[in-house]
Amino acid sequence: MFTSPIGPLFLVASDAGLVALEFDARLPGQQTIRPNPRDLREENKAVQFEESAGVTRPYVRELEEYFAGQRREFSFALDLRGTDFQLACWRALLAIPYGETRTYADIARAVGRPQGFRAVGMANNRNPIAIVVPCHRVIASDGTLCGYGGGLDVKRKLLELEGALTGTLAA
């Protein structure tokens, strides 16, 4: 757990890179990678969590630099896990420059599914690595803020930090 200016963040890493960065407070029904002791499904028994400040230190350092306004890009490896479509969407999110925004329709076009803006919204909803895979940079076609796992207030704070709030967004 890492305490950030926007609240506690839960980080999970594998040997391949960062697997998850979740907000401690989640919206109802939002997915989580965190283990639930009541969840005894067989597929979850292969995943083991152990707390290690040493393993998460490089991720935390870069996140601290980001929140201090000293970092615009993350340099650590990501271990993204999802469907082919989700992975395509998340890669498109990674291509959005710091300080800029795109619409769900923009992302749908970028992944070759121009009418798939709702599917893009669902892929964003399933994004396991908040902030680093910047789904907070995706806005509605009318320029308003919408849909964010950390809540719209957190989305606004992240966009303010990056200097991306202008015009309609700043209202």
Side-chain angles (χ1 to χ4, degrees), residues 30-75:
Q30 194 173 1
Q31 284 189 316
T32 180
I33 195 167
R34 287 181 243 193
N36 180 340
R38 295 178 298 170
D39 190 351
L40 302 176
R41 293 180 300 190
E42 195 61 38
E43 65 268 19
N44 288 336
K45 290 182 182 179
V47 177
Q48 293 185 4
F49 290 88
E50 66 181 63
E51 200 166 327
S52 173
V55 170
T56 59
R57 186 172 298 119
Y59 308 109
V60 168
R61 185 183 82 264
E62 289 195 22
L63 285 163
E64 288 172 337
E65 292 168 357
Y66 169 81
F67 285 115
Q70 300 166 344
R71 175 171 291 279
R72 293 173 164 244
E73 294 179 11
F74 296 96
S75 66

Side-chain angles (χ1 to χ4, degrees), residues 43-121:
E43 65 268 19
N44 288 336
K45 290 182 182 179
V47 177
Q48 293 185 4
F49 290 88
E50 66 181 63
E51 200 166 327
S52 173
V55 170
T56 59
R57 186 172 298 119
Y59 308 109
V60 168
R61 185 183 82 264
E62 289 195 22
L63 285 163
E64 288 172 337
E65 292 168 357
Y66 169 81
F67 285 115
Q70 300 166 344
R71 175 171 291 279
R72 293 173 164 244
E73 294 179 11
F74 296 96
S75 66
F76 47 75
L78 301 177
D79 184 358
L80 287 169
R81 302 172 184 193
T83 66
D84 289 344
F85 179 74
Q86 289 171 332
L87 293 170
C89 290
W90 300 336
R91 285 186 201 106
L93 297 177
L94 287 164
I96 303 171
Y98 180 98
E100 295 184 22
T101 58
R102 299 290 185 273
T103 66
Y104 291 94
D106 291 334
I107 302 301
R109 285 189 294 276
V111 298
R113 300 256 315 261
Q115 302 302 313
F117 50 89
R118 285 189 182 92
V120 165

